[in-house]
Structures are given as structure tokens and as C-alpha cells.
Amino acid sequence: MNIKNVLIGALLVSAPFLVNAQGSKVQTAWRNLDDYKLNNDVASIVKAKEAIDLAAVHEDTKEKAKTWSYRTEIYYFLYREDLKKEKEKLAGVTDKKEQEIQAYGNVSMDNFNEMKVSLAKLVVLDKDKSYLQTQSMIGAKMVDEINNLALGRYKAKKYEEASQMYFITYEAFNMMGVKDTGSLFNAIISSRNAKNNELVKKYCEVMVKDKIANPYTFATLYDAKLALGDTAGAFESLTAGRKSFPSDMSLMNMETEYYLKRGKQDEALANLNKSIEKDPGNYIFYLVRGNIYDNLANPKDNNNKDKEKPKEYEELMQKAAADYTKASELDAKNFDVFYNLGALYNNWGGYYQGKADAITKMNAEQKALGDKAMEKFKLAIPVLEKALAIKENDKTSMMALRKLYLITGDTVKAKEMSERMKK
């Protein structure tokens, strides 16, 4: 007898048996699943898993909706068993709510993820939705589970996982035609805590695309893109935010900061003028605007060396002094406000003194310039004294004051300041 023919014959005979065997795996899974639901017997759900996993990879059963319907349910109960074990580990936590949150924060996601995979496969294969209807309860429970997992993961500081759970919740509601902005907002917060700027960008862009963005969305998207090195994209997002929310102060301030960092002083000033119109009691706007005027009056090159003063020097210095003064009136306890104003007067006096020193022969012009310099030096002293009263150990203020005391002839105070600096 030809051995080859015998083997082929054996294979032909055995093929129908294999088909039935794989079909029976689905039935075995179903019976054990039913057993588990009736008796809460863990061994039964384990047997159900073994059977359904075999059916899920076999040619004859892997494309059947029934297979994935059972697999969804089996893995849901396996996940619940994992959760139960986590709660048992936390028996010492007397607060039941806290115990539950911690359990959700620590439970393994393996079986839960397999459940999601199975449900996604079922959605594709169940053309008439008959099995999906029977699994609607599992679907509803999944939404609750995802919310609990998101909170638990967040509390456990597993922020990236929390963000993904919140986003799944958003997508689930979105499929039902509901824009759950709270879940998407939580996804953004969680991904920011995880310092995952790619996820932050992704979730913010979803908010923009779905037309549920707010000023925070655009501000966060701007920050994320900057962190990812996409400066052009960041400014595009900021511009889009300003267009959508033209009156929002936070976006306007971010745009102002963007302009300042790139040397676009005119654009920054335009924004600051608008900001002051909207919020005239905010000292920071005057401080920043004063600083812009100060920098325009005293330009530096790329090596931080002084450049030639502009022809509008006097006007710019007066505007800077007015803004710093206004800022000091609005916040009398801010060191930067007083220090900047004191430094401005000091530098202004230095400018006049430099011009006076450049005149070799004493004359009326030299004396007038010297008088102007002394006037500015004297204005600088009380302002820097206020700055030092706020920040008592600031050495820069001490050095500036000692020099000013000497210039103005107050040797007693100059000596006192020297002693204070030694201490």
C-alpha cells in the first residue's frame, strides 16, 4: 500500500472532526461562562477563557460574531476577578470608597484590554447587531469601568493611563452623539501631568476639530507644540485661539510674550495697550510695557553691548518711568517694580553724566547735563531703597545704592551700606 495515499486519506477523514471540535470550543466556552455566572466559580471562567481563545484563532470560528460575543463577556468577568483580588489586598483600607479607588488604580489592564479588543471585533462581525444587543449590558458596564479606571489611575499618579481612559470615555459618548467635554478636558489634564506633549496635542486638536475648544484648549495646544519644537505650529494655534476668543486676556498675554521673545516690540505694545484698556488695574501690564519702552530706549546688540540711543530716547524713557511708577502705585510690595524704576533713573542719570563728561571744557551745557544727571540719581535713591526694603538681602540693590550715595555726596549712608554688604 502506498504510504502517501494512506496519509492523505487519513487527513481527509479527520478534517470534519476538526471543524466540529473547534465549534465545540465555542460551546465549551459558553457552558463554562454560564457555570461561572450561576455559581461564581473562578475555575469555570478560566476554562471558558482557554476554550474561547482557541476558537478565536481557528479558521472555522475566528470570524464568527458568536465567538467574539462570548470572548467579550468572558474577559469582562476575568477583569472583574482581577479587580476583586486587588480589593482583597486592600482589606486594611477601612474607607470603602478609597479602597475602590486604589483597587482601580492598581488592577492589571490585560484582561480589560482583551475585552476591548473582543468588543471591537464583535462590532465589525455582528452585521445584524443581534449579539451586540445581548452584550449591551457589558457595554454599559464598560463605560462605568472606564470612568472608575480613569479616576483610579489618576489618583495612583498613572497619568498617561488615566488620560487614555478619559479619552476612551469621550470617544464612547461621541459615538452616541454626545460631546463629553469633561472627559476630554480630564484627558488633557492627565496627559499634561504625564508630561506627554504628544498626547496633549492630540487631545487638544480633537477639541478644536469637534468645535468644543475654549481658551484653555488653545493655550495648552500652544504650550505643547512649543515643547515639541513646533514654533510655527504653536503660533498658528495661538492665532486661531485669538481669532476664536479675541477678548480672552490669557491668550492675548501669551501672544504678547511670543512677540516679546521674538523682538516684535510694536506688536507686543499693541497687545499691551489693549490689555490695559480691558484691565487698567493690573500692575503687570504697566511693568511689562514700561520694560518694552525701557529696552527701546536702551537697545543692545547680540553681545549685550549698548547700541546708539534712538532719537526718541527722552520720550521713551519718560514713558517707561510713567509705566513703572503706575505699576508701583498698583502694587507697592513688588520688588521688580521698584528695582526697575530705580535702575531706569540710575541709567538715565548715567546717560546725562556720560554726555557731560564728554565735554572737555566746563561750560553751561556741561553744567546743565551734570544737573540733569544728579536729578535722576536722586530720584533713583528712594525707589531703590523701597526695593531693598522688600528684598532685604538683594546685593545688586545694595551696590547701586552705595554708588548713588557716593555720587550724591551722602558718605554716611554709603558707609552704612558698605557695612551692610559685608554682613
Side-chain angles (χ1 to χ4, degrees), residues 19 45 139 154 234 320 415:
V19 172
I45 199 68
Y154 188 88
K415 185 177 180 182

Side-chain angles (χ1 to χ4, degrees), residues 56 68 71-72 75 109-125 142:
W68 296 97
R71 196 172 190 273
T72 298
Y75 271 94
M109 297 294 292
D110 293 344
N111 288 323
F112 184 86
N113 288 332
E114 285 298 324
M115 174 188 65
K116 285 197 301 174
V117 169
S118 300
L119 188 57
K121 185 80 172 175
L122 177 60
V123 169
V124 173
L125 294 175
M142 266 185 74

Side-chain angles (χ1 to χ4, degrees), residues 79-134:
Y79 155 74
R80 291 295 299 179
E81 286 296 329
D82 291 341
L83 188 63
K84 192 189 298 181
K85 288 175 188 173
E86 287 300 327
K87 286 182 180 178
E88 288 169 0
K89 291 178 191 175
L90 296 164
V93 180
T94 53
D95 186 329
K96 294 300 177 186
K97 187 174 182 180
E98 180 59 28
Q99 182 193 64
E100 188 168 81
I101 289 172
Q102 287 188 34
Y104 276 109
N106 297 327
V107 66
S108 169
M109 297 294 292
D110 293 344
N111 288 323
F112 184 86
N113 288 332
E114 285 298 324
M115 174 188 65
K116 285 197 301 174
V117 169
S118 300
L119 188 57
K121 185 80 172 175
L122 177 60
V123 169
V124 173
L125 294 175
D126 191 16
K127 304 299 183 186
D128 62 0
K129 309 301 178 191
S130 56
Y131 288 103
L132 278 170
Q133 286 175 10
T134 63

